[in-house]
Amino acid sequence: MTTTVQRHGATRAVRPALDTGGRMARWWRLPSLPFRAYDGAISSAGGRLILLVAVLSWALLAGALRLLGLPVGGWLLAIWLQAGPGLVLVAAVGVRMWHRIAFYGIAASQVLLVVLSFPPAYLTGQWYPRMATAALLVVTVTAAVFVLRRDWPDRARPGRPRTRILLVAVLSIGGLAVSVLAAWVRRGIPQPGGMAMTAGPLWFVGAALVLASLGLALVRGRSLALPVISSSSVVVLGQAVMYGQPTVTVAARHLGMVDSVFRFSGLRPDQDIYQTWAGMFTATALVLWLAGPAVSSFTYAAFWGALAAPVMVLGVRVVAGRLMSHRAAWLAAGVFGLGSSLTTSFFAPQVLAFVLCLAVLSLLLGVAPEAPRLTVLRWGAVVALSGVIIVTHQISPYMLGFALGVLCLFRLVRPWWTPLVPLVPAAIWAIVNVEVLTRYVDPETFGRLLSNLTPPQHPDAPTGVALINRLTFMVPALALILIGILALFVLFRRHDRRSWGLAATAASPMLLAVGTNYGQEGVFRIALFSLPWLAMLCAVGLDHVQGPR
């Protein structure tokens, strides 16, 4: 709708200042952002076969050493179970890019472990580890046979690796190895000075090498993959090696649940909320049962948390790759790694659920036209991931649903009913277990937004709090503030649909604070689910691939 005005003898058409209906209609008709594919692919059948041989060889070696009663066999088997079965499944599906193969392989392995261990323990109250192990072997062998039959006739020699990133790789991997060695030499109980000060100058030398590799990659335009992953691992891996136990006390409660699965040979869903949302606990029990007594549960939990940190960074990279360039996506992952240290990765259901939420988002963002068979596989994976999230953590499926709802509103995800995939089953699961859930829900917290956002208050120790402990929380909090300020700056500089969609999605976890304070820890969950989108928004300013407005 326009109007005609006369000015200085000329007639011109003027659009009204407010045309809300027309703008909303045009907004709703906007197409989804296009799918972006980048380098780093295992594109040949030969590459997939090499991956398959490596994964199966690891499994055979670990199994043989485990049967011989050697402790290293148990640890090799426990590590293999975190990614091995999923990597075989990913190879069978035909995922190409290496970072997506690694991330989806880990996510698929966690889904398999939960699916094979939780349902019988919840439905019958009994735990059947032998049956779950047999099913895991059948799935893995079947997928391996499928890959061999499909790719063997088309095998080709994989391309030669690029050598231009050799110096960056040596610095990042070497620096990480030096830091881990320094922590291993000084291993023992936690000291007042913290891990880094206890490890001594050698640890700082290793960390400096990792940072140097990151700077070199930025200056020379090399791949940021190894520097970003190494920088996200240098602290948490050093803590796991030095202490051999989790650094967060609540992890002991989670290990107690795992011990309960062993002690009672199953679950008692009517007794506790942990018994009902126990997907991670039954999966861990299965891993420890297969690994044997040589694997300590506390040490396993420590290294599980150390693995979770780079996996979360990798997941943010996979999600960001749907919206921006290869380099900007790794920058987003690096920014997330910098800010996520406040919400420490540790042995907890919310950490596993967060990783699986990233996998769901990456499967739904920016989907290219595909064959019907691939559509069925993709939605099957989304449903399986969502189901495992629902039985693993109480609030994560709702946080995922909030994010998907905002992404649908900004036409970054389609179809419109996508948020219902996690939300409806999560609501049904809550209704089924309402008697247990109501013990932990306080109706008085509903609507108290500011109160629900208040972090827990802990009284200071009589002797005061050490400076290193204060810095442990103050530095990451400052990093979060700086990331938020940078994200706002980018948003005001760029007014495209992608930037506004990322900003709105980062704000969507605030809906949690409307209904609950989540035991006064809601602010930490909100920060965790907001940070990936803030990190992507920061990286948008450096993205040279322009998306549609």
Side-chain angles (χ1 to χ4, degrees), residues 50-122:
I50 290 176
L51 174 65
L52 180 66
V53 170
V55 171
L56 295 181
S57 298
W58 184 300
L60 292 175
L61 175 63
L65 295 176
R66 168 72 174 86
L67 291 175
L68 292 175
L70 299 178
V72 66
W75 278 108
L76 289 176
L77 187 58
I79 296 172
W80 182 84
L81 287 168
Q82 305 307 313
L87 288 174
V88 178
L89 287 179
V90 167
V93 173
V95 178
R96 290 176 177 266
M97 289 171 282
W98 74 264
H99 47 272
R100 296 179 65 197
I101 290 174
F103 178 66
Y104 288 147
I106 293 172
S109 290
Q110 305 307 312
V111 169
L112 277 176
L113 292 172
V114 174
V115 168
L116 296 177
S117 62
F118 176 77
Y122 176 82

Side-chain angles (χ1 to χ4, degrees), residues 281-304:
F281 306 135
T282 58
T284 302
L286 178 60
V287 172
L288 294 177
W289 183 83
L290 287 169
V295 177
S296 164
S297 60
F298 273 88
T299 306
Y300 171 83
F303 282 96
W304 191 96

Side-chain angles (χ1 to χ4, degrees), residues 154-208:
D154 300 326
R155 63 189 181 277
R157 186 175 182 180
R160 299 176 62 183
R162 294 175 294 178
T163 58
R164 61 188 181 127
I165 63 170
L166 181 60
L167 180 58
V168 173
V170 170
L171 286 176
S172 58
I173 297 176
L176 182 62
V178 169
S179 295
V180 170
L181 177 62
W184 182 80
V185 170
R186 298 294 183 88
R187 61 190 183 278
I189 62 175
Q191 301 296 322
M195 181 274 298
M197 298 301 296
T198 304
L202 188 60
W203 185 90
F204 289 95
V205 170

Side-chain angles (χ1 to χ4, degrees), residues 49-413:
L49 289 174
I50 290 176
L51 174 65
L52 180 66
V53 170
V55 171
L56 295 181
S57 298
W58 184 300
L60 292 175
L61 175 63
L65 295 176
R66 168 72 174 86
L67 291 175
L68 292 175
L70 299 178
V72 66
W75 278 108
L76 289 176
L77 187 58
I79 296 172
W80 182 84
L81 287 168
Q82 305 307 313
L87 288 174
V88 178
L89 287 179
V90 167
V93 173
V95 178
R96 290 176 177 266
M97 289 171 282
W98 74 264
H99 47 272
R100 296 179 65 197
I101 290 174
F103 178 66
Y104 288 147
I106 293 172
S109 290
Q110 305 307 312
V111 169
L112 277 176
L113 292 172
V114 174
V115 168
L116 296 177
S117 62
F118 176 77
Y122 176 82
L123 295 173
T124 68
Q126 297 296 316
W127 185 47
Y128 303 98
R130 290 182 176 83
M131 185 181 300
T133 302
L136 185 65
L137 287 175
V138 169
V139 171
T140 305
V141 171
T142 302
V145 171
F146 176 81
V147 174
L148 287 172
R149 293 188 61 182
R150 182 194 62 192
D151 291 340
W152 184 258
D154 300 326
R155 63 189 181 277
R157 186 175 182 180
R160 299 176 62 183
R162 294 175 294 178
T163 58
R164 61 188 181 127
I165 63 170
L166 181 60
L167 180 58
V168 173
V170 170
L171 286 176
S172 58
I173 297 176
L176 182 62
V178 169
S179 295
V180 170
L181 177 62
W184 182 80
V185 170
R186 298 294 183 88
R187 61 190 183 278
I189 62 175
Q191 301 296 322
M195 181 274 298
M197 298 301 296
T198 304
L202 188 60
W203 185 90
F204 289 95
V205 170
L209 291 176
V210 172
L211 294 178
S213 70
L214 184 60
L216 185 64
L218 287 170
V219 171
R220 293 191 175 183
R222 302 296 188 255
S223 174
L224 294 168
L226 286 176
V228 167
I229 292 176
S230 297
S231 61
S232 67
S233 306
V234 67
V235 173
V236 291
L237 189 56
Q239 290 175 333
V241 170
M242 178 176 288
Y243 303 144
Q245 58 184 346
T247 56
V248 181
T249 55
V250 72
R253 184 192 306 168
H254 301 154
L255 289 174
M257 269 303 308
V258 176
D259 183 68
S260 174
V261 175
F262 277 107
R263 181 171 301 181
F264 298 103
S265 299
L267 297 172
R268 302 295 183 267
D270 58 335
Q271 294 184 357
D272 186 79
I273 194 171
Y274 284 101
Q275 301 273 355
T276 306
W277 279 266
M280 175 183 167
F281 306 135
T282 58
T284 302
L286 178 60
V287 172
L288 294 177
W289 183 83
L290 287 169
V295 177
S296 164
S297 60
F298 273 88
T299 306
Y300 171 83
F303 282 96
W304 191 96
L307 174 66
V311 170
M312 289 193 296
V313 169
L314 192 60
V316 173
R317 161 61 185 93
V318 173
V319 175
R322 296 293 196 175
L323 299 173
M324 56 191 67
S325 68
H326 175 79
R327 184 174 179 80
W330 277 113
L331 282 173
V335 172
F336 172 83
L338 175 66
S340 64
S341 56
L342 184 61
T343 52
T344 310
S345 63
F346 63 99
F347 183 73
Q350 59 262 33
V351 175
L352 174 58
F354 177 74
V355 170
L356 300 183
C357 286
L358 292 176
V360 172
L361 290 164
S362 67
L363 290 171
L364 296 174
L365 272 169
V367 178
E370 58 188 0
R373 179 181 66 87
L374 294 179
T375 300
V376 172
L377 285 174
R378 184 168 56 84
W379 278 104
V382 168
V383 171
L385 288 162
S386 299
V388 171
I389 295 169
I390 289 166
V391 301
T392 298
H393 194 231
Q394 300 85 9
I395 66 168
S396 292
Y398 301 102
M399 308 288 264
L400 175 60
F402 297 157
L404 288 175
V406 174
L407 291 170
C408 284
L409 181 63
F410 282 84
R411 315 302 283 169
L412 301 177
V413 167

